[in-house]
Amino acid sequence: PGRDLPEITCQETSDALSLAAQHLNDLDVVVFPTETVYGLGALALNAEASAKIFATKGRPADNPLIVHVSSFAMLQSLLPKDYKICPAYQALMKHFWPGALTLLFPRDSNVIPSIITAGQSSVAVRMPSHPVARALIAKTNGPLAAPSANTSGKPSPTKAAHVLRDLDGKVPLILDGGACDVGLESTVVDGLHEDGNIRVLRPGGITVEDIERVLELELSEDKEDGKSVLPKVLVHKRDYRDEAMEQAPTTPGMKYRHYSPSVPVTLLHTSTQPPVGQHALSASTFISTLPSTIGAKSRVGVLAPADSKFWECIELEDGVEWHKYTLGTIAEPAVAAQRLFDGLLTLEHEGVDLIIIEEILEEREGLAVMNRVRKAAGESRWINYETCE
Ligand code: TXA
Ligand code: MG
């Protein structure tokens, strides 16, 4: 419900899954829905199949892939025999699996091909909750490596139509499971360090606040024995000065330019202070100069919360053609997460000349949203709403 699911029968669903599993077992790639974004899957334990993922996406070989499992038994089969899962991971898996959380585990080099981990000594594993993803993994009877199903550098697809526009002719089959509920990639967490702390390498669908709440809930009893302490949750932006973070602050993937449509994107700061030497323009000044800076009658896409003042400010400016896409209300960062990539891809498809995104608060899902927005944006501008009220 609410996901724009295609109308097909159980038999057709079953046939589609069988066909997809057949392609996978023939060492080909297949696109499938997950609750976060669409994935480009191949057999994770087969180096030849996994190599096709890199070729199809144009993905750099030093960016490792996430391995997707459909059961705990499947997870166990990937891990080194003597490895014991730590209490923090157990708590996180209990609350967030299946779901938008990826955990790093030690890599068993006899099981996981090196192409998957790009030479890292760890392997990233996730158990998705989307029924089509679970069914496909189970039917294939093996873990699937799957990055987001987009050409490297582009926004991740959250609808089958996005994938078709980007990868048509490059993949044999796309399973359409409707629009993704979460809309942003999973949170990537590293709990493998000696200090026992939990490092958030990539913010995503599971919020830092939820991770902290669950660790507190599940592990605080242990505090009483005096020796074990609650692990800290280290996040790149927030704990930048934390020495422990300086080693490996983000995933290998995060160093690449990412999430950019083929259209220039401007990030509009409305609540943070401009850097020294720059000053904030009034919203109306910024808006009124657009026709001359990008050209009269240009098409300008706007991504902003439904209750943003920006919408009122553009009412009077008809020197450009506005294309509006709302991101839920200011109080709903989860809606912004769900709609961000669809918004970027929809406006790109509408042929706009510029996309303007208004910043949202970096709380809860807002942290992951702003992480993606910063990477999508080629430039930042600072405005205030003083003259629009
Ligand atoms: O929600 C998701 O995670 C989606 C769906 C399809 O599951 N997948 C996804 O995969 O976003 P991808 O390849 O676009 O992003 C994987 C991220 C990259 O930033 C990569 O560097 C990081 O995970 N990663 C994978 N293995 C890693 C490892 N061993 N150590 C550190 N980071 C790793
Ligand atoms: Mg990706």
Side-chain angles (χ1 to χ4, degrees):
R3 281 211 202 129
D4 305 325
L5 283 174
E7 270 185 44
I8 56 167
T9 63
C10 285
Q11 187 59 49
E12 287 168 319
T13 300
S14 169
D15 291 349
L17 283 166
S18 299
L19 185 60
Q22 205 179 313
H23 280 294
L24 290 167
N25 285 318
D26 289 344
L27 309 187
D28 212 339
V29 290
V30 156
V31 175
F32 64 97
T34 84
E35 70 282 14
T36 57
V37 301
Y38 273 74
L40 176 67
L43 294 185
L45 305 187
N46 185 290
E48 185 189 333
S50 300
K52 288 207 182 127
I53 292 178
F54 287 88
T56 306
K57 276 180 68 88
R59 183 177 177 106
D62 64 353
N63 193 3
L65 303 177
I66 296 172
V67 176
H68 297 68
V69 298
S70 60
S71 68
F72 286 100
M74 199 180 273
L75 168 69
Q76 280 297 343
S77 74
L78 301 177
L79 304 179
K81 295 292 157 283
D82 55 348
Y83 173 72
K84 202 170 158 296
I85 297 178
C86 66
Y89 271 14
Q90 279 173 10
L92 294 175
M93 287 194 287
K94 176 176 157 195
H95 286 263
F96 302 122
W97 274 21
L101 179 74
T102 295
L103 297 171
L104 296 197
F105 291 96
R107 166 184 175 228
D108 181 343
S109 56
N110 296 315
V111 179
I112 310 283
S114 62
I115 185 168
I116 295 285
T117 60
Q120 309 272 330
S121 58
S122 60
V123 59
V125 184
R126 174 164 108 79
M127 187 189 288
S129 66
H130 196 293
V132 173
R134 305 277 306 271
L136 180 65
I137 300 164
K139 189 138 197 143
T140 309
N141 197 23
L144 296 182
S148 47
N150 53 286
T151 304
S152 260
K154 295 280 153 209
S156 300
T158 59
K159 292 179 174 168
H162 300 155
V163 182
L164 192 63
R165 286 207 292 265
D166 184 12
L167 297 180
D168 194 17
K170 294 186 180 167
V171 293
L173 183 139
I174 300 168
L175 288 176
D176 185 348
C180 301
D181 282 342
V182 177
L184 285 184
E185 300 87 346
S186 61
T187 305
V188 180
V189 158
D190 177 359
L192 297 179
H193 289 251
E194 291 265 302
D195 62 12
N197 290 329
I198 293 293
R199 287 159 172 76
V200 175
L201 303 187
R202 177 177 73 178
I206 300 294
T207 67
V208 172
E209 289 88 339
D210 283 338
I211 291 174
E212 285 173 332
R213 180 181 52 78
V214 158
L215 292 177
E216 172 94 31
L217 179 77
E218 295 287 340
L219 304 178
S220 53
E221 273 174 25
D222 298 351
K223 273 193 289 194
E224 278 148 34
D225 71 8
K227 57 179 168 45
S228 52
V229 284
L230 210 55
K232 279 199 267 179
V233 179
L234 303 175
V235 186
H236 182 51
K237 187 164 187 292
R238 191 184 59 179
D239 305 305
Y240 195 63
R241 291 177 187 287
D242 191 311
E243 252 176 63
M245 279 306 283
E246 277 167 18
Q247 298 299 315
T250 59
T251 69
M254 296 306 259
K255 70 172 183 272
Y256 293 104
R257 188 162 161 72
H258 253 97
Y259 312 114
S260 301
S262 57
V263 181
V265 176
T266 296
L267 166 56
L268 216 50
H269 296 271
T270 50
S271 52
T272 43
Q273 289 302 313
V276 189
Q278 289 198 46
H279 65 280
L281 292 175
S282 76
S284 43
T285 306
F286 170 74
I287 289 164
S288 65
T289 54
L290 279 173
S292 58
T293 49
I294 58 159
K297 292 294 153 207
S298 294
R299 281 174 271 193
V300 180
V302 179
L303 288 173
D307 45 354
S308 163
K309 288 185 188 144
F310 200 75
W311 304 118
E312 295 156 39
C313 294
I314 64 178
E315 279 305 306
L316 295 175
E317 180 53 67
D318 57 6
V320 296
E321 182 183 309
W322 297 104
H323 290 243
K324 304 172 187 174
Y325 188 101
T326 58
L327 293 176
T329 65
I330 293 168
E332 300 171 309
V335 179
Q338 198 204 11
R339 290 174 63 79
L340 175 70
F341 288 146
D342 183 50
L344 287 170
L345 292 165
T346 299
L347 293 173
E348 176 185 47
H349 190 58
E350 286 174 9
V352 301
D353 304 295
L354 172 70
I355 296 175
I356 292 170
I357 312 182
E358 182 175 4
E359 76 176 348
I360 67 166
L361 284 180
E362 290 185 87
E363 284 164 11
R364 304 195 49 79
E365 292 82 0
L367 182 70
V369 170
M370 286 305 297
N371 170 276
R372 309 303 190 269
V373 166
R374 277 182 225 286
K375 284 166 184 285
E379 69 156 10
S380 286
R381 302 292 297 272
W382 279 261
I383 64 161
N384 60 53
Y385 286 120
E386 276 156 31
T387 56
C388 276
E389 283 161 29

